[in-house]
Amino acid sequence: MTEPSGETAPEAAEPTEDLREEAAGTPAPDTSGGPDSAEEPDAGPADDGKAEAAGDADVPEVSEAQAELAAQRELRARIEARKAGKSGSVASGAKLSGTAADLLAAVRAVEGGTASGSAFYEAPEPAPRRPAAGPAPATAVRPPAPERPTAPAPGTTAAVREVLAAGGAPEALAGRVAAVLGEGAAPALREDPWQLLAVPGVRPEQADGFARALLGPACGPGDPRRAVALTVWLLERAAVQGHTALEVEAVRAGLAGHAVPDPEQAVETAVSEGAVLLFQEEETAEEPDDEDVEEASAPAAEREPAAPVLLGLDRYALAEESLADGLARLVRTATAEAWEGGELERAAGAHGLVLHTGGEAARAEPVALAAAARERGLRALVAVHTDGGRSALGAAGAEAVTVAELLSGTAGPGRDEDGAFALDLLVVLDAPQLDVETGAMLVESLPDSCRLVLSGDPEVLGAPGAGRVFADVLASRVCPRIASRVPDPGPLGELVSGIGVGELNRVEAPGKEVVIVPVRDAGEAVHRTVQLVADSVPRAIGVPSEQTQVVTVGHGGSAGTRALNAALKQRLNPGPGRFGGYDPGDRVAYAPAPGRTVTGTVLSADAEGLRLRCGRDELLVPKERVEPELRHGWALTAHQAAGTRWPAVVVVLPGDAAAGLSRPWVYTAFGRAERHLSVVHGADQALPRAVAEGVAPERTTRLRPLLEALLAADGE
């Protein structure tokens, strides 16, 4: 197939870089839906040795149960104290003794296999169950949409600016530091300069330089404050990559890569300070057979390895535990009913939780389920990931809401006096885009006996935030899974379906539905992309530039989103960028929350900020949030584009993009096109190899074992 002819276009402008952006070069694979991508956590040599038990020799001998109980109480107390002292600094972590030393002994015992990590934590008191959903209340309670956090006080920002200046850090960071660390930010930074790592975009070498300038000779790579901050930073960065926890060996390797002299002690300090949590999930109990009995009596070296010891942050641990509990509650409380209809209808009538899988065409099935439920007199609602996903539903989209609108209360049913949605059935489309925190908030808002149907394509890229909710629930096999038999139509459907099973097939495209544009290098890739969007696709395909979306592998590099957006702006909407780098008519990608991207167009600007048109809504981005939350949006990453489709899509694959390609990435990027797909192809054999072999990196999560354990306990 040949490319539509077109005229030449101006070359790409050089993108600007700042503290948060990666150096130009090989484009980093996109892993988030935010304005910028993050790199993979540092890898280091694995530590194959087992930790030795440690403790204070003077501690009186106690039973194993007493030691574990003391350990869990100590840890929980430290976590609560840390939460209460939110604005304070991270303690320096002096040598531990007494009860704290017992805690570390217990930590090492878990790693050595002599104790279970689950014993470190008391099971939380079960939340009081809501009564089963009854008739809709006469007056639904709709809380107002949550307001953005107020800007830090001017005095706080000024004090932070002084500390940053003393440490040689950019004073422009003052607003973000004050927003993250709160009113006590200035004294907290002076006492513990590595708290600067809590600000998104700040890297360890920058925090180290800041600490050296403030602390002088007292600063060293083994400082316990540095150890705690780096451990948290590694886990936060892993969360951007989708992990809710990391194996302890991976964290130690990351710390070693940042010159921490004793990574093992660093991890123990972070645990003892309550900055991170320790887990070891227990396998679901099964009836032993003869082989199991024989294996149990075998020498330890011959047994199957135990579940890995994990480290995580409390926010993701609590979210996964809450989500698992909420899903199990829906499974337990739904009353089986005989619903007439197809396989999906019958499953939804009989179960509180149902999974539905399929491609774009299959989205009609759960939408029809919700319509049928409403005809039965039930309170049913469809939620989608993006406004574009709602528009793709056509007339049915008028009654749908986005997940963000539902949770904020700006759309959907009201909440009852217990805070639960007035719903009998919730259908969530694009369910693979649910991160664990959003999923937990959503499920916790559903009343007992409500039915939940999660629908999506398991082949697409996972959620831009931490967790893999849809994949974990699918793998747990705790509820019915209904696979759609409706194929996606046409040449595009045939192409994407083949990619899903690992085959990159040549398809017949008489209407130029698929066009391959070969290029030699990244510069030519940018040139041809601009030509396609500005001229060739509108003229040959009939899709205007404003309905054509560019998708590329990452933000950085010579053909990443920054370079492509600079070139596309120059051609499609040239201007001086007089409103913080933007002009009216610019296409933008707006990230109001981490992992959530909304595309739109700049309308105007005033003293309050930048005004956007995003779907059917007009939004105001306050001027202090324009720089961290807004980017030009002619070109997006595949994660940012997930959940939305456009009439025409141009996928850019320069030669240096090979490292970022995988089958889910190609499947997602190619599947964004409704009528036409142009592939600017310079990756040579990396593309078919990625489709055939390129499995996306696994995410480390805890939801599956948590959910399996909860429901296995019901069956005992």
Side-chain angles (χ1 to χ4, degrees):
M1 287 172 280
T2 58
E3 174 232 347
S5 60
E7 300 173 0
T8 60
E11 295 298 329
E14 284 293 326
T16 58
E17 302 290 333
D18 61 20
L19 182 67
R20 296 169 301 101
E21 298 179 337
E22 304 155 347
T26 302
D30 71 280
T31 54
S32 73
D36 287 320
S37 65
E39 302 169 32
E40 290 286 347
D42 290 336
D47 179 3
D48 296 326
K50 293 291 183 181
E52 298 177 357
D56 191 343
D58 298 328
V59 176
E61 183 175 351
V62 294
S63 69
E64 181 180 353
Q66 290 173 321
E68 290 182 349
L69 183 60
Q72 64 184 242
R73 286 175 175 167
E74 173 72 6
L75 182 56
R76 285 300 182 193
R78 287 180 177 274
I79 293 171
E80 294 304 320
R82 183 172 178 82
K83 290 179 180 177
K86 182 179 178 182
S87 61
S89 61
V90 178
S92 60
K95 180 175 177 60
L96 301 174
S97 61
T99 308
D102 292 341
L103 172 65
L104 296 191
V107 170
R108 287 175 170 170
V110 168
E111 294 177 302
T114 59
S116 167
S118 61
F120 277 74
Y121 308 101
E122 291 178 312
E125 289 295 326
R129 296 294 184 199
R130 306 186 189 96
T139 304
V141 180
R142 187 190 303 281
E147 298 181 358
R148 287 184 173 277
T150 57
T156 299
T157 305
V160 170
R161 189 176 291 112
E162 290 181 7
V163 179
L164 292 174
E171 295 182 31
L173 283 176
R176 282 190 282 165
V177 173
V180 171
L181 299 183
E183 295 299 319
L189 277 181
R190 287 193 183 278
E191 183 178 346
D192 180 3
W194 286 282
Q195 288 205 41
L196 192 65
L197 278 174
V199 179
V202 175
R203 298 188 58 78
E205 57 269 23
Q206 296 162 335
D208 286 341
F210 178 66
R212 282 193 296 270
L214 286 182
L215 301 179
C219 170
D223 192 303
R225 293 168 292 185
R226 182 175 187 262
V228 171
L230 278 174
T231 303
V232 173
W233 180 80
L234 286 170
L235 292 172
E236 288 282 11
R237 198 165 64 142
V240 176
Q241 307 295 331
H243 306 283
T244 60
L246 284 180
E247 292 191 21
V248 67
E249 295 299 336
V251 176
R252 287 174 178 161
L255 291 170
H258 288 286
V260 174
D262 190 347
E264 182 177 328
Q265 180 61 46
V267 168
E268 292 171 351
T269 301
V271 172
S272 71
E273 295 294 340
V276 301
L277 302 180
L278 186 77
F279 309 100
Q280 187 175 39
E281 307 302 342
E282 295 182 354
E283 298 295 332
T284 303
E286 297 180 358
E287 288 295 326
D289 54 23
D290 293 340
E291 292 183 2
D292 293 332
V293 174
E294 182 178 344
E295 180 181 353
S297 62
E302 299 177 8
R303 297 176 191 169
E304 290 294 323
V309 179
L310 304 178
L311 290 174
L313 300 174
D314 59 353
R315 59 180 286 194
Y316 300 116
L318 293 174
E320 282 189 305
E321 291 164 8
S322 174
L323 178 56
D325 182 71
L327 291 172
R329 173 173 57 86
L330 295 179
V331 171
R332 294 176 184 130
T333 59
T335 303
E337 298 178 7
W339 288 9
E340 296 180 357
E343 189 178 11
L344 180 59
E345 286 80 2
R346 294 195 302 272
H351 301 275
L353 176 64
V354 176
L355 303 179
H356 173 262
T357 62
E360 291 294 330
R363 288 159 58 94
E365 295 175 345
V367 172
L369 168 67
R374 284 192 286 268
E375 291 178 359
R376 293 185 178 94
L378 301 178
R379 301 166 297 178
L381 183 69
V382 175
V384 298
H385 181 60
T386 65
D387 191 72
R390 172 169 48 199
S391 300
L393 298 178
E399 297 182 350
V401 302
T402 66
V403 170
E405 290 172 340
L406 178 61
L407 290 175
S408 69
T410 57
R415 296 177 184 260
D416 62 23
E417 63 276 7
D418 294 317
F421 295 132
L423 287 175
D424 301 307
L425 169 67
L426 176 63
V427 172
V428 180
L429 304 184
D430 314 311
Q433 300 306 305
L434 281 178
D435 63 86
V436 68
E437 291 184 300
T438 303
M441 288 188 290
L442 194 66
V443 171
E444 276 297 306
S445 298
L446 298 178
D448 287 356
S449 77
C450 182
R451 288 167 164 78
L452 174 63
V453 175
L454 299 177
S455 175
D457 190 338
E459 305 300 328
V460 301
L461 285 169
R468 32 171 271 160
V469 175
F470 193 62
D472 279 342
V473 181
L474 277 174
S476 69
R477 300 186 180 277
V478 297
C479 64
R481 168 177 171 169
I482 309 301
S484 174
R485 297 177 178 85
V486 179
D488 289 335
L492 281 168
E494 181 183 351
L495 175 65
V496 174
S497 296
I499 292 170
V501 296
E503 299 175 358
L504 187 63
N505 301 317
R506 180 180 293 274
V507 298
E508 295 298 326
K512 295 183 178 178
E513 293 88 350
V514 181
V515 172
I516 307 300
V517 184
V519 294
R520 294 180 298 273
D521 53 40
E524 186 181 3
V526 173
H527 173 87
R528 299 295 273 170
T529 300
V530 173
Q531 182 183 26
L532 284 163
V533 175
D535 180 78
S536 301
V537 171
R539 178 169 46 78
I541 310 300
V543 178
S545 299
E546 56 270 21
Q547 295 180 18
T548 301
Q549 182 62 55
V550 176
V551 178
T552 190
V553 176
H555 295 290
S558 51
T561 61
R562 300 180 193 123
L564 286 165
N565 277 318
L568 287 162
K569 174 173 173 56
Q570 183 180 350
R571 176 67 182 272
L572 298 174
N573 195 47
R578 59 185 183 276
F579 302 132
Y582 302 91
D583 297 295
D586 279 356
R587 283 175 65 175
V588 291
Y590 172 44
R596 178 170 165 246
T597 298
V598 179
T599 57
T601 305
V602 175
L603 296 177
S604 62
D606 53 35
E608 293 183 304
L610 211 58
R611 300 190 181 276
L612 313 178
R613 164 71 67 183
C614 297
R616 60 190 185 186
D617 300 323
E618 287 191 15
L619 304 176
L620 171 67
V621 183
K623 58 184 180 181
E624 68 272 9
R625 297 188 177 272
V626 169
E627 191 274 334
E629 296 181 358
L630 210 62
R631 292 290 182 272
H632 285 106
W634 286 282
L636 302 173
T637 65
H639 265 301
Q640 291 175 316
T644 304
R645 301 182 82 206
W646 291 266
V649 168
V650 178
V651 175
V652 183
L653 303 174
D656 58 3
L661 296 181
S662 66
R663 183 189 303 166
W665 192 97
V666 178
Y667 185 93
T668 304
F670 285 19
R672 299 310 92 207
E674 294 176 338
R675 292 171 47 192
H676 172 78
L677 170 68
S678 282
V679 181
V680 178
H681 185 18
D684 196 29
Q685 294 304 305
L687 177 59
R689 187 165 54 248
V691 171
E693 307 169 3
V695 179
E698 284 290 324
R699 299 183 179 196
T700 303
T701 62
R702 300 174 53 238
L703 178 61
R704 177 183 176 180
L706 287 170
L707 184 57
E708 288 177 340
L710 283 171
L711 292 176
D714 291 345
E716 293 178 355

